[in-house]
Amino acid sequence: MQQQITYCKSWFRARKQPTEMWPEEYARSAHRNKKLYSVVVGPIDRPFCFLEINKGFVGVGFLDRLAREYLYYAFREIKAGTLFLSMTTYREYGGDTDKVDNGTTYRFQENGTVEIDKQSFNPITNQNSRSFYDVANNYDIWPEFGDYDHIIKIERS
């Protein structure tokens, strides 16, 4: 991994900071035992993203310049060592505030079905639709400890 990484218990979204910093050995043990831990990628005061890793699940939250989560990927383990990107959420914020103006969530199934939920909050609207999508690029491999580059790429196609 080329970027700076920090291990911790979790990423506190509201405070925009990690909780309970962990030494590498503690995080390595959590990874080996598929217990929950988090990884902050980039400088702690201006991270690029964070990962949430747990048994059967890897979540990646991408952060903007104000440390707001604008993009989130949720991967689930579909078989040993194989991940599937099952959900993506994209958010837009009002100026430099933490108030979400609108967001879109995509829920993918392995058969190519995708459910799309679009929400706006000023005024409040909600649109739901269903479509089909080539999910070939939604597959990934379980990350080895410390090797997260392939899972933190924004472009998945």
Side-chain angles (χ1 to χ4, degrees):
M1 175 142 242
Q2 307 245 342
Q3 300 189 53
Q4 176 183 340
I5 57 175
T6 304
Y7 299 104
C8 58
K9 180 179 179 182
S10 64
W11 177 259
F12 195 145
R13 287 170 171 85
R15 291 191 180 162
K16 304 176 186 179
Q17 65 185 28
T19 64
E20 195 178 314
M21 305 292 246
W22 285 2
E24 183 176 321
E25 310 82 53
Y26 201 73
R28 185 181 299 277
S29 175
H31 186 89
R32 183 175 43 253
N33 295 304
K34 295 206 174 181
K35 301 284 184 183
L36 179 62
Y37 77 101
S38 291
V39 180
V40 178
V41 179
I44 249 354
D45 60 339
R46 194 162 181 173
F48 167 68
C49 69
F50 65 90
L51 293 92
E52 302 167 312
I53 302 173
N54 201 359
K55 182 178 182 177
F57 175 82
V58 176
V60 184
F62 296 94
L63 306 171
D64 67 11
R65 65 179 177 76
L66 299 174
R68 301 174 301 191
E69 183 182 65
Y70 72 92
L71 182 61
Y72 187 77
Y73 290 161
F75 295 88
R76 62 181 169 80
E77 191 171 30
I78 55 171
K79 64 180 179 181
T82 302
L83 296 172
F84 180 74
L85 177 60
S86 59
M87 188 185 78
T88 299
T89 300
Y90 175 76
R91 296 179 186 91
E92 292 180 349
Y93 295 87
D96 286 347
T97 73
D98 289 345
K99 185 176 179 180
V100 177
D101 275 351
N102 58 68
T104 305
T105 298
Y106 302 86
R107 289 180 190 81
F108 301 98
Q109 296 178 22
E110 287 186 80
N111 67 5
T113 301
V114 59
E115 295 177 11
I116 306 163
D117 296 322
K118 294 183 178 186
Q119 295 181 310
S120 293
F121 300 101
N122 191 18
I124 296 176
T125 62
N126 193 15
Q127 295 177 311
N128 300 312
S129 62
R130 178 176 271 183
S131 186
F132 289 93
Y133 178 78
D134 180 0
V135 295
N137 291 314
N138 285 39
Y139 294 91
D140 212 320
I141 58 170
W142 189 267
E144 294 293 325
F145 182 79
D147 182 17
Y148 310 106
D149 286 342
H150 63 93
I151 206 84
I152 64 168
K153 56 184 182 176
I154 292 173
E155 291 296 325
R156 306 294 309 172
S157 55

